[in-house]
Amino acid sequence: MKVKVLGMQLKFFLTLIISLILSFLLVNVINQVGIRLKHNVQNYRSSTYRLYDTTRALDLELNNAYPKTLSTYEGILKKYKANYSQYKLHFIILDGNKIIYNSNNKNINFNFNKAYTATINNLSGNDVNDYYNFAYKIPLETQKKIMEIQLTAVPVSFKTDASIISTLSSTVIFLILVIILFYLLTLPRMRYINKICTGLDAIANGNLDFKIEKKGNDELSSIAEYINHMSAELQSRIAKERELETSKHQLITNVAHDIRSPLTSIIGFLELVKEKNYKSEDEMNKYVGISLKKAETMKNLTNDLFMFTKLNSKDLKFNFSTICFNDFIYQLLDEFEPDFEEHFLKFSSELTPEKLFISVDINMFMRAIQNLFSNALKYSLQPSEVKISLKKENDAAVFSISNICNNVDESNVNMLFERFYRADKSRFNPDTGSGLGLSIAQNIIERHGGNISVRYDNGSICFSVTLKTIRLEFKEG
């Protein structure tokens, strides 16, 4: 299994972190731009509030002054003018329309009443764009009458953190930016997920040739790889299913063909016997003997078919036990020797003296080796010699049986294990076998964890069976 550089979870987490950082930086930029856009207005308003507080303090000090004479008030005004020089304070004391005192000895150069109205509006929270001068009126009580002080000032610029957006607005914009950036950064992954979904839909609709491009090295790329593997496996299984269907059809056709021939012969000879269409009792016995021989052929065909079907069933279980391979081969030699001699065949055996033990299902394994002996009996050139050998190679026992034959195509020698394949291309003589014997032997040997092979050299064919040996430990006493 490949190690992933970054998993999907970590990637999405990092994407979220990047989105948060970028959104935070963007909100700060927006705030800074807002400060620059509103800097003058905000500073003017802030300065106006400070001047208003100064004016109230001045009003309170004037009311508490004693004696309430013009000279006393002038002293206080001069003090404020000096203390708040940054505002360029200017005081005029009016007695009606008559100027009693002018702190600058000159008239103001703007409309006082209009500036006063703008100042009041600004203090009440309304934006003011026409006037940026501060103007205010303070009543002044003397010993004889009540006069009025007109105070004017120029607001100064103060550094402030005021922004074009409020804290709530900043939070909303921040969240919106996070969502947008997260969406944009994850868009390639989401598009890749859509491609995977498209691929799954195509495969589900039968397009098993569809392949999903592998991108990156995370869970999504693994999913794409697994889907491609699944598609390939489905193609392979479908091909095997089709091959199996073809094989079943071939099986039924071949078995029907092989059974029909002996069955036709049996029916024909039995009808002759039934109708007493024979010249003598010996001829009748001949007909009956042929029928029995054909019936035996049918029996062998059905037995091979039953065994072949049984071996291909997943429910078949083998019962393993330990046997001595040497003794097993000697037993088969004794069993087959009369039949081989009858066909002018002679055994030549070379078995290792070392006892080789193997674990097998004795009945199944007997059937496999018997099929190899029967194959040699049927197809050996007569007269000739059949060579039997058993030897040990590393931790394995190797059994070989070879015979001389002249009806094997060397280029198709490996086809001998194919079911229904016969060295003789003619299928008109089922008495020679069903064509399933070697396929059954191969299946049994492989179910034992072994291997069976064949080679053809200079007119001699040799089958070899290789099985792992078992080391037995004998206890004394």
Side-chain angles (χ1 to χ4, degrees):
M1 182 178 179
K2 295 182 179 180
V3 179
K4 297 176 179 56
V5 178
L6 285 177
M8 285 297 297
Q9 287 182 332
L10 182 57
K11 282 188 175 181
F12 277 114
F13 177 74
L14 291 177
T15 302
L16 178 60
I17 295 299
I18 293 172
S19 301
L20 291 171
I21 294 173
L22 290 177
S23 299
F24 177 76
L25 295 176
L26 287 173
V27 169
N28 279 339
V29 170
I30 292 172
N31 279 330
Q32 292 300 322
V33 172
I35 290 172
R36 287 195 295 269
L37 290 175
K38 296 292 288 183
H39 184 73
N40 291 332
V41 175
Q42 292 291 346
N43 285 348
Y44 170 66
R45 180 172 293 172
S46 176
S47 185
T48 300
Y49 290 147
R50 297 189 182 191
L51 285 169
Y52 176 69
D53 291 337
T54 302
T55 302
R56 292 181 60 188
L58 174 61
D59 186 18
L60 181 62
E61 189 170 346
L62 289 172
N63 287 329
N64 293 330
Y66 186 84
K68 295 183 181 301
T69 61
L70 187 58
S71 60
T72 303
Y73 295 146
E74 287 178 359
I76 296 173
L77 294 177
K78 288 179 180 179
K79 180 183 69 173
Y80 269 82
K81 184 176 176 64
N83 292 341
Y84 298 96
S85 59
Q86 71 271 27
Y87 293 112
K88 299 179 180 180
L89 293 176
H90 181 208
F91 301 101
I92 295 177
I93 300 177
L94 294 175
D95 182 6
N97 292 325
K98 183 181 178 182
I99 298 176
I100 303 301
Y101 173 79
N102 188 340
S103 62
N104 288 343
N105 296 319
K106 61 182 180 179
N107 295 327
I108 58 177
N109 57 0
F110 61 89
N111 190 321
F112 177 84
N113 290 327
K114 202 168 186 180
Y116 176 73
T117 303
T119 300
I120 297 300
N121 288 331
N122 193 34
L123 290 172
S124 63
N126 299 321
D127 289 334
V128 178
N129 296 319
D130 292 337
Y131 290 94
Y132 293 93
N133 295 90
F134 182 86
Y136 207 77
K137 299 176 181 180
I138 300 174
L140 184 65
E141 181 183 354
T142 63
Q143 294 177 347
K144 297 179 180 181
K145 61 176 75 173
I146 295 177
M147 293 181 289
E148 179 182 272
I149 297 178
Q150 290 185 352
L151 182 153
T152 60
V154 178
V156 295
S157 178
F158 289 96
K159 292 183 178 181
T160 176
D161 293 331
S163 175
I164 193 172
I165 54 177
S166 65
T167 303
L168 179 61
S169 299
S170 298
T171 303
V172 173
I173 294 174
F174 173 76
L175 293 176
I176 292 174
L177 288 173
V178 169
I179 294 172
I180 293 174
L181 289 173
F182 186 79
Y183 171 79
L184 294 175
L185 292 174
T186 57
L187 189 59
R189 291 282 91 185
M190 298 308 298
R191 287 176 177 171
Y192 190 45
I193 291 174
N194 288 333
K195 285 186 178 180
I196 293 175
C197 293
T198 302
L200 284 172
D201 184 64
I203 292 171
N205 288 324
N207 184 10
L208 298 180
D209 292 326
F210 189 94
K211 299 298 180 184
I212 301 173
E213 181 184 359
K214 183 180 177 182
K215 293 182 179 180
N217 193 23
D218 53 24
E219 288 83 353
L220 289 181
S221 60
S222 296
I223 290 173
E225 185 177 1
Y226 294 149
I227 291 173
N228 291 335
H229 178 71
M230 177 190 70
S231 177
E233 284 294 317
L234 286 175
Q235 280 185 311
S236 176
R237 291 187 181 185
I238 290 174
K240 288 181 180 179
E241 288 292 331
R242 290 173 179 170
E243 182 182 352
L244 183 60
E245 286 297 320
T246 303
S247 176
K248 287 180 179 179
H249 178 72
Q250 182 185 9
L251 177 64
I252 295 172
T253 302
N254 290 338
V255 170
H257 179 278
D258 286 346
I259 290 179
R260 182 174 59 185
S261 295
L263 185 60
T264 301
S265 298
I266 291 171
I267 293 174
F269 285 114
L270 289 180
E271 283 182 348
L272 290 176
V273 173
K274 179 182 179 182
E275 296 174 359
K276 297 182 179 181
N277 192 5
Y278 48 85
K279 297 178 181 179
S280 64
E281 186 175 347
D282 290 339
E283 189 173 26
M284 181 195 71
N285 290 333
K286 177 182 177 181
Y287 292 162
V288 173
I290 294 174
S291 298
L292 286 173
K293 184 178 179 181
K294 297 295 182 181
E296 186 68 25
T297 299
M298 289 181 60
K299 177 184 177 183
N300 292 333
L301 286 171
T302 54
N303 284 341
D304 285 347
L305 178 62
F306 175 75
M307 177 59 68
F308 178 78
T309 306
K310 189 176 180 181
L311 286 171
N312 282 275
S313 173
K314 295 181 180 180
D315 297 330
L316 178 63
K317 294 182 179 180
F318 282 26
N319 297 314
F320 289 91
S321 59
T322 302
I323 64 168
C324 176
F325 207 167
N326 312 62
D327 296 340
F328 178 81
I329 298 300
Y330 282 125
Q331 179 183 340
L332 285 178
L333 289 174
D334 292 339
E335 179 183 333
F336 277 93
E337 189 172 17
D339 292 332
F340 274 67
E341 289 180 350
E342 184 179 343
H343 290 80
F344 307 102
L345 299 173
K346 182 180 179 181
F347 281 128
S348 173
S349 59
E350 184 179 349
L351 277 64
T352 177
E354 180 183 358
K355 295 292 184 181
L356 304 179
F357 294 92
I358 56 175
S359 178
V360 295
D361 182 308
I362 186 63
N363 293 324
M364 290 294 181
F365 190 64
M366 175 75 75
R367 178 64 180 271
I369 303 301
Q370 282 179 339
N371 284 355
L372 295 179
F373 274 88
S374 297
N375 187 75
L377 180 62
K378 293 174 185 175
Y379 298 105
S380 291
L381 186 66
Q382 301 176 10
S384 65
E385 186 178 66
V386 178
K387 296 181 180 180
I388 306 295
S389 71
L390 178 65
K391 58 184 178 179
K392 185 178 181 181
E393 292 183 358
N394 298 324
D395 293 331
V398 180
F399 165 75
S400 299
I401 178 170
S402 62
N403 60 282
I404 300 173
C405 58
N406 55 7
N407 59 347
V408 175
D409 185 354
E410 186 174 356
S411 61
N412 294 328
V413 66
N414 290 323
M415 293 287 291
L416 292 173
F417 293 113
E418 295 291 330
R419 45 187 173 271
F420 299 114
Y421 181 85
R422 288 171 177 162
D424 183 3
K425 299 299 181 182
S426 173
R427 296 199 56 85
F428 294 100
N429 186 15
D431 293 342
T432 59
S434 64
L436 292 172
L438 292 178
S439 178
I440 290 172
Q442 182 187 45
N443 198 319
I444 292 174
I445 297 302
E446 289 179 351
R447 292 282 290 270
H448 280 79
N451 176 61
I452 183 170
S453 61
V454 60
R455 68 180 184 276
Y456 185 77
D457 185 26
N458 295 327
S460 180
I461 189 168
C462 178
F463 291 92
S464 298
V465 175
T466 304
L467 286 174
K468 186 177 180 180
T469 58
I470 297 176
R471 183 177 179 180
L472 296 182
E473 295 182 0
F474 297 96
K475 296 182 179 179
E476 296 183 357

